Amino acid sequence: MTCKCSQQIEVSQDKMEEECGVFGIYAPNNGTDVANLTYLGLHALQHRGQESAGICVNNHGEFNLHKDMGLVTNIFDEDKLEALKGHAAVGHVRYSTTGSSMMANAQPLLTNSIKGDLAIAHNGNLVDGAEMRKNLESQGSIFHSTLDTEVIAHLVARSFKDDITEGLKHSFQQITGAFSIVAMTEDCLMAARDPQGFRPLSIGKLGDSYIVASETCAFDIIGAEHIRDVKPGELVVIDDEGITSTFYTERKASKFCVFEYIYFSRPDSVIANQNVHLARKDMGRQLAREMDVEADIVVPVPSSGITAALGLAEESGIPYQKGILRNRYVGRTFIQPTQEIRDLKVRIKLNPIEDIIEGQRVILVDDSIVRGTTSQQVIRMVREAGAAEVHLAISSPPVQYSCYYGMDTSRRQELIAAQHDLDGIRDHIGADSLTYLSIEGLLNSLDADCGFCTACFDGDYPIGKGTGKLSFE
Ligand code: SF4
């Protein structure tokens, strides 16, 4: 049967998506090619957002911005980067759902007020963003985008503080939410995190230049050294004099997004002094201790389940087998939504190796289940390859609540763990057994020097849900 629908559907993973990645560089040495370094940094951060990207440079007071829809490699070429000369730069990659995907929402945002030029790039979501916007609009502010970043820019412009740095601090004191921000004025580069530090932001050094980025993998690609993370509630200012730090608010309990460790950050990144790959492996080990299943092989769902599967196999003594192959050349493929193709959707990305799977009791490992659609299809595929039993092991707790702090988790009614209990999920996805890592087990596997937000598992929202606007709306 053929579906008459002409609209295209995207072959995407059933995973949470990050909203953004940010990058900034300040180079007192005039010979530093800040545009190319920012381009490479954004390339390393591409997994944090694929809808749009941009770079704004500051050439001793003259700002030049280029941004567009698409991937970093498609937006910038040699000529475009050559035109972006300067001693400092701010870069951004953005993810959004189709509804809010538009050029006006591409970042960095470049604004000009009586206080001077300000380029600003933001990762996160304000829980009071809609309310703040309404208040500002009622007082005459005109918005060009739906970005929370623009709310911050308006607050800076309206602040009674004359100086942009002080205005930025003043604006942070008026907002509630998750924000890791990189901003640039004529005189300096700034980096700041919200008081709970939901989203990551690190500081690096390359020669005389200071760099800030969402993840340390952006330092590795340009050979920079990771110095430290920006602290929750901290504003770091970088200029010709070097780096200075101030806190714009009193210290609060840190609530770093635990999902950065589970799925989102790159495994080669280091956050709060813990390597992400090793953290994921420990989650797999902890999961093995919490599981009570007899099996012949441990097989990861590539690539999201690989590291946890290695840890689970090591701890349980059950052999690790690469029983499913991932087609490395499928990026964001769009296909016609015929029924036949829908059924084959997962096969475009993944293919089980029958010689490994046939007749085996398989522990299939993945890092999370959001809607359950991919898990269901992968389990069916592994059964069709001849598995005797399929036990699904997930290296995080059930995602039962939506995120309001900058991660696209889907709406609550779409989350399978919000709709079914454990047996219901197991039956729905067609597994012989289903084991999730407990929240305690998850936290035990983390050795990071920070506290965590676990709201998508337990509904305990550290700063509430605000107006209830989801981060991806
Ligand atoms: Fe991260 Fe979940 Fe908290 Fe959102 S709700 S910040 S995804 S831990």
Side-chain angles (χ1 to χ4, degrees):
M1 196 172 84
T2 306
C3 174
K4 297 254 170 60
C5 177
S6 61
Q7 160 212 4
Q8 293 193 318
I9 57 168
E10 186 185 350
V11 179
S12 63
Q13 287 194 98
D14 179 18
K15 293 290 177 201
M16 288 203 194
E17 300 280 359
E18 181 66 78
E19 293 277 308
C20 301
V22 295
F23 185 94
I25 179 166
Y26 190 95
N29 180 345
N30 272 334
T32 309
D33 189 344
V34 295
N36 260 300
L37 292 172
T38 305
Y39 168 83
L40 288 168
L42 293 182
H43 195 266
L45 297 173
Q46 187 76 83
H47 61 289
R48 299 185 73 85
Q50 301 87 36
E51 294 286 340
S52 65
I55 297 174
C56 182
V57 292
N58 172 11
N59 195 8
H60 303 283
E62 195 181 309
F63 281 54
N64 191 358
L65 168 68
H66 182 74
K67 57 184 177 179
D68 210 337
M69 306 302 289
L71 299 173
V72 176
T73 44
N74 298 337
I75 295 171
F76 296 98
D77 56 24
E78 223 178 313
D79 292 344
K80 290 201 177 95
L81 290 168
E82 183 62 31
L84 293 170
K85 290 275 176 240
H87 70 284
V90 170
H92 190 267
V93 286
R94 178 169 196 265
Y95 159 84
S96 76
T97 53
T98 315
S100 60
S101 167
M102 55 182 194
M103 191 50 205
N105 282 342
Q107 296 190 45
L109 200 68
L110 178 56
T111 62
N112 178 271
S113 71
I114 195 159
K115 297 185 175 88
D117 287 332
L118 173 67
I120 183 164
H122 169 207
N123 172 210
N125 190 63
L126 302 185
V127 292
D128 60 354
E131 212 179 310
M132 296 295 294
R133 171 181 295 262
K134 234 186 192 164
N135 287 344
L136 287 162
E137 280 173 341
S138 72
Q139 291 165 44
S141 293
I142 295 167
F143 284 82
H144 301 285
S145 72
T146 59
L147 297 171
D148 285 344
T149 325
E150 203 177 355
V151 170
I152 296 169
H154 274 285
L155 289 173
V156 174
R158 298 174 67 98
S159 170
F160 62 88
K161 307 274 186 186
D162 292 338
D163 171 63
I164 292 188
T165 308
E166 290 303 316
L168 207 52
K169 281 194 216 169
H170 186 220
S171 74
F172 294 158
Q173 288 155 0
Q174 298 170 68
I175 55 179
T176 307
F179 54 90
S180 278
I181 281 175
V182 180
M184 185 170 68
T185 68
E186 287 169 31
D187 307 316
C188 67
L189 182 76
M190 290 177 280
R193 283 173 85 196
D194 65 73
Q196 285 76 21
F198 283 99
R199 309 253 71 88
L201 192 60
S202 298
I203 307 170
K205 198 152 194 280
L206 178 68
D208 292 342
S209 306
Y210 279 101
I211 296 141
V212 286
S214 294
E215 288 184 44
T216 61
C217 61
F219 301 151
D220 298 337
I221 195 170
I222 56 172
E225 175 199 356
H226 175 208
I227 302 174
R228 67 173 178 90
D229 295 344
V230 177
K231 296 186 181 82
E234 185 183 19
L235 173 74
V236 167
V237 179
I238 301 161
D239 57 20
D240 285 344
E241 308 304 316
I243 185 164
T244 50
S245 156
T246 51
F247 286 84
Y248 60 86
T249 180
E250 65 196 35
R251 294 287 178 104
K252 305 215 165 118
S254 98
K255 294 286 175 188
F256 183 66
C257 170
V258 77
F259 238 97
E260 292 277 352
Y261 283 105
I262 295 167
Y263 167 68
F264 208 73
S265 287
R266 255 176 53 163
D268 49 345
S269 287
V270 174
I271 310 168
N273 291 323
Q274 185 171 23
N275 168 263
V276 173
H277 168 83
L278 294 177
R280 283 181 196 157
K281 209 166 167 193
D282 279 350
M283 289 172 206
R285 284 205 182 91
Q286 182 65 32
L287 183 57
R289 287 180 217 119
E290 294 182 13
M291 268 189 101
D292 184 21
V293 167
E294 287 189 10
D296 304 308
I297 53 172
V298 173
V299 173
V301 175
S303 49
S304 49
I306 290 175
T307 317
L310 283 168
L312 191 147
E314 266 179 31
E315 184 70 22
S316 65
I318 302 170
Y320 173 94
Q321 285 281 10
K322 240 176 137 178
I324 302 175
L325 202 80
R326 183 166 198 258
N327 181 352
R328 280 190 281 159
Y329 304 103
V330 179
R332 309 196 100 201
T333 307
F334 288 84
I335 55 173
Q336 292 294 333
T338 63
Q339 195 57 47
E340 272 171 323
I341 291 290
R342 271 185 212 281
D343 292 342
L344 293 175
K345 212 167 113 181
V346 169
R347 277 190 189 270
I348 292 172
K349 277 197 168 175
L350 306 174
N351 196 25
I353 304 173
E354 273 187 32
D355 288 342
I356 292 176
I357 284 172
E358 197 167 11
Q360 302 292 305
R361 293 171 300 172
V362 177
I363 296 179
L364 199 60
V365 184
D366 206 351
D367 60 7
S368 55
I369 306 179
V370 180
R371 292 178 293 276
T373 44
T374 302
S375 306
Q376 191 181 44
Q377 287 164 319
V378 175
I379 289 167
R380 192 189 311 146
M381 202 169 70
V382 171
R383 283 201 195 285
E384 284 167 7
E389 294 171 16
V390 186
H391 303 274
L392 186 62
I394 302 296
S395 60
S396 64
V399 177
Q400 299 188 62
Y401 301 89
S402 296
C403 178
Y404 295 84
Y405 309 140
M407 200 77 97
D408 174 359
T409 42
S410 298
R411 290 164 188 283
R412 187 148 195 243
Q413 60 269 28
E414 291 163 4
L415 300 172
I416 192 167
Q419 304 305 322
H420 300 278
D421 62 10
L422 190 71
D423 291 346
I425 302 170
R426 182 203 60 210
D427 293 346
H428 183 81
I429 60 178
D432 291 296
S433 78
L434 170 63
T435 309
Y436 281 102
L437 182 61
S438 65
I439 295 184
E440 301 70 41
L442 170 66
L443 297 178
N444 282 341
S445 16
L446 293 167
D447 197 21
D449 48 17
C450 62
F452 292 103
C453 171
T454 52
C456 47
F457 307 127
D458 56 19
D460 183 10
Y461 291 98
I463 51 170
K465 297 191 262 185
T467 48
K469 179 181 169 281
L470 291 169
S471 59
F472 51 93
E473 285 177 323

